[in-house]
Amino acid sequence: MLSARVSLLLGILFLASLSVSLGISHRGHQESQEESDSSGRNNPFYFSSDRSFNTLFKNQYGHIRVLQRFDQRSKQIQNLENYRVVEFKSKPNTLLLPHHADADFLLVVLNGRALLTLVNPDGRDSYILEQGHAQRIPAGTTFFLVNPNDNDNLRIIKLAIPVNNPHRFQDFFLSSTEAQQSYLQGFSKNVLEASFDSDFNEINKVLFGEEQGEESEQEGVIVELKREQIQELMRHAKSSSRKTLSSEDEPFNLRNQKPIYSNKFGRWYEITPEKNPQLKDLDVFLSSVDMKEGSLLMPHYNSKAIVIMVINEGEANIELVGPREQQQQQQEESWQVQRYAAELSEDDVFVIPAAYPVAINATSNLNFFVFGINGENNQRNFLAGEKDNVMSEIPTEVLDVTFPASGEKVEKLIQKQTQSHFVDAQPDEQEKGRFVY
Ligand SMILES: *[C@@H]1O[C@H](CO)[C@@H](O)[C@H](O)[C@H]1NC(C)=O
């Protein structure tokens, strides 16, 4: 009986509920076919929180969800094939059981506090991560994650870069739960007995809880932890909140820096690969952006980074400009501009391809978070405002023949906006009146 069960396990292991399911592929494809209007609903760059995630695991203590594949939404973001976004939420006093995956992870704490422990063959490192902390978890590293707070939920976003497959990765858990089996159970009786130098029944009892009549299996991969257990784990953790960018492998906090852009309408915090070895390895930059209600992040484009934006708090209208989404393979005769607009709210994801201009209108106080893929040496080119504006660097003589009006008139228009990066999204009516008809 047992050996028959064990022989099936290898197969089952990879079909376990925590595999990144293929189920989403079908839907993604359909959506890219339907895309045509710019209202937001069928926008291939817009991933709404309630319709675009696939739940990998869920119980009363939390959930793990993976965003559908980027490359199945649109050919325009085909190069995001090898990137996935994972959301993890857990209740107070819980533990995500030890596991590893065939993917590099870049983990960011959006809300709450986490105790993250990375286990290596020669030791382990525990870190307390606060909101805004980021940490790379190299592929194959066994880790576990505690929400040590008594009241606050923990919310984490992970960028996953799979190793074995361009778009799929697998979590390998040590424990057997109702949700999946321990990967150790995939081994034969002979291998287990010889490796642990123990009787198979003993191994089963200790590691897999398969004693007859005894139901010791956990309910899932997120479990409750006692306060004493958490306190003991916390005692061994390094508080990383004091550190900024010093040590190579330690967590770093995005918000400990000075913002790169800041005025009364908004603040942009950013850490680039040039400044952080963990980000350099992954070639990703991270930003956290606050905007006041009624402010506008002016039109700009990223020179080479593809931006994956996650709304953390608040609401915004986004306008992205790009070529029309092609229905079939067709020869482009003339370049048609399309506006890809969407109304974004909490937990939504939006992708901004490199070179595509974008503007964001905060319709409430807003905080969003950004993974900038291909981030090294990326430049943000603004198209309006005083600073970082590429338009204002074009010489008058060239402006002269670039636009219908004279170069001087164009320059005057460009220079009118004296703010930079963030501005008022609703300039007062009088001001507006002069331009309206
Ligand atoms: C921003 O959104 C508000 C509310 O929808 C709207 O009134 C305002 O005109 C928008 N501003 C811009 C610059 O899009």
Side-chain angles (χ1 to χ4, degrees):
M1 276 271 292
L2 269 175
S3 75
R5 183 168 173 189
V6 169
S7 68
L8 275 173
L9 292 176
L10 267 179
I12 293 170
L13 197 60
F14 291 95
L15 294 172
S17 64
L18 283 171
S19 71
V20 176
S21 162
L22 287 170
I24 49 180
S25 62
H26 192 64
R27 193 177 148 218
H29 186 65
Q30 280 181 345
E31 280 185 5
S32 73
Q33 299 271 305
E34 283 162 19
E35 193 286 318
S36 56
D37 68 290
S38 61
S39 65
R41 276 287 152 197
N42 295 315
N43 184 330
F45 306 105
Y46 170 55
F47 297 76
S48 76
S49 168
D50 51 344
R51 297 183 312 140
S52 310
F53 282 95
N54 211 42
T55 300
L56 299 182
F57 174 76
K58 188 173 166 65
N59 68 4
Q60 74 259 44
Y61 303 120
H63 71 229
I64 307 172
R65 306 194 299 172
V66 64
L67 195 69
Q68 65 183 101
R69 281 169 57 179
F70 295 114
D71 58 302
Q72 286 183 333
R73 271 298 193 84
S74 169
K75 284 217 157 46
Q76 297 184 65
I77 46 177
Q78 185 82 42
N79 280 356
L80 283 186
E81 180 181 40
N82 201 25
Y83 296 88
R84 302 301 298 269
V85 168
V86 181
E87 183 201 56
F88 171 74
K89 269 188 191 173
S90 69
K91 293 258 166 71
N93 299 331
T94 56
L95 166 74
L96 172 63
L97 293 169
H99 64 289
H100 69 274
D102 57 344
D104 280 305
F105 292 129
L106 180 58
L107 174 153
V108 180
V109 177
L110 295 187
N111 297 111
R113 203 153 67 117
L115 173 62
L116 171 69
T117 304
L118 306 182
V119 187
N120 288 302
D122 58 351
R124 60 172 186 266
D125 295 300
S126 290
Y127 305 108
I128 296 165
L129 310 185
E130 313 274 345
Q131 189 172 347
H133 263 111
Q135 168 76 43
R136 179 189 175 191
I137 303 175
T141 305
T142 295
F143 69 97
F144 55 89
L145 199 56
V146 174
N147 177 352
N149 274 20
D150 290 328
N151 304 308
D152 299 328
N153 288 339
L154 169 64
R155 178 164 175 251
I156 278 174
I157 287 282
K158 276 192 310 191
L159 180 71
I161 309 170
V163 174
N164 290 320
N165 186 291
H167 44 71
R168 223 178 311 161
F169 63 93
Q170 177 70 48
D171 287 321
F172 293 79
F173 278 85
L174 273 168
S175 22
S176 284
T177 70
E178 279 176 15
Q180 53 25 263
Q181 279 178 309
S182 164
Y183 59 83
L184 290 174
Q185 274 185 290
F187 287 110
S188 66
K189 176 173 183 266
N190 291 345
V191 166
L192 289 174
E193 285 191 334
S195 302
F196 289 102
D197 191 19
S198 301
D199 180 68
F200 190 52
N201 286 334
E202 181 67 9
I203 296 169
N204 256 326
K205 200 162 69 181
V206 173
L207 297 183
F208 313 133
E210 289 201 342
E211 184 88 322
Q212 298 116 312
E214 197 180 306
E215 196 40 85
S216 61
E217 279 193 357
Q218 298 276 15
E219 270 180 67
V221 298
I222 307 172
V223 301
E224 209 171 11
L225 216 53
K226 293 200 188 74
R227 282 191 81 185
E228 306 88 75
Q229 295 171 312
I230 291 176
Q231 274 160 8
E232 189 56 26
L233 289 170
M234 292 285 275
R235 282 205 307 127
H236 301 289
K238 296 174 209 170
S239 172
S240 49
S241 40
R242 284 168 290 122
K243 309 251 175 180
T244 47
L245 291 172
S246 50
S247 177
E248 296 228 333
D249 299 317
E250 304 218 336
F252 49 97
N253 199 321
L254 269 164
R255 317 274 296 192
N256 286 354
Q257 320 278 306
K258 256 182 61 187
I260 57 166
Y261 315 135
S262 172
N263 64 21
K264 65 176 173 177
F265 301 106
R267 273 184 314 233
W268 187 300
Y269 298 89
E270 183 161 87
I271 301 182
T272 55
E274 293 84 353
K275 288 197 204 128
N276 181 282
Q278 294 179 49
L279 295 179
K280 194 174 173 72
D281 271 358
L282 302 174
D283 196 8
V284 170
F285 72 75
L286 291 176
S287 310
S288 174
V289 181
D290 294 323
M291 287 174 67
K292 282 240 177 73
E293 175 174 351
S295 54
L296 179 78
L297 173 63
M298 286 194 285
H300 67 278
Y301 64 90
N302 288 290
S303 60
K304 61 187 281 267
I306 309 174
V307 160
I308 301 171
M309 180 181 165
V310 182
I311 306 293
N312 188 26
E313 278 170 37
E315 290 175 355
N317 293 335
I318 190 164
E319 293 183 4
L320 174 76
V321 175
R324 286 181 71 99
E325 181 86 344
Q326 276 171 272
Q327 304 299 349
Q328 255 83 51
Q329 297 297 79
Q330 56 191 200
Q331 211 63 37
E332 286 287 271
E333 309 250 293
S334 72
W335 203 79
Q336 290 238 43
V337 170
Q338 177 153 348
R339 179 166 69 231
Y340 297 94
E343 289 176 18
L344 307 178
S345 55
E346 208 167 297
D347 292 0
D348 285 351
V349 174
F350 196 90
V351 176
I352 303 164
Y356 286 38
V358 66
I360 297 166
N361 180 357
T363 49
S364 76
N365 284 343
L366 178 71
N367 172 255
F368 66 88
F369 177 81
V370 156
F371 293 109
I373 310 297
N374 203 20
E376 192 162 2
N377 298 320
N378 177 64
Q379 270 186 339
R380 210 167 280 109
N381 296 272
F382 278 83
L383 301 167
E386 201 207 324
K387 292 184 201 144
D388 304 320
N389 183 345
V390 278
M391 296 255 295
S392 63
E393 297 299 331
I394 298 173
T396 323
E397 302 72 36
V398 176
L399 290 175
D400 233 351
V401 292
T402 304
F403 295 104
S406 72
E408 271 163 36
K409 276 208 170 126
V410 177
E411 266 181 346
K412 230 175 129 191
L413 182 75
I414 292 171
Q415 284 161 8
K416 179 131 197 307
Q417 177 57 266
T418 52
Q419 306 264 7
S420 302
H421 315 120
F422 302 105
V423 294
D424 191 347
Q426 287 160 302
D428 60 67
E429 295 310 312
Q430 289 175 338
E431 191 82 11
K432 235 194 231 167
R434 282 196 274 140
F435 290 103
V436 176
Y437 314 112

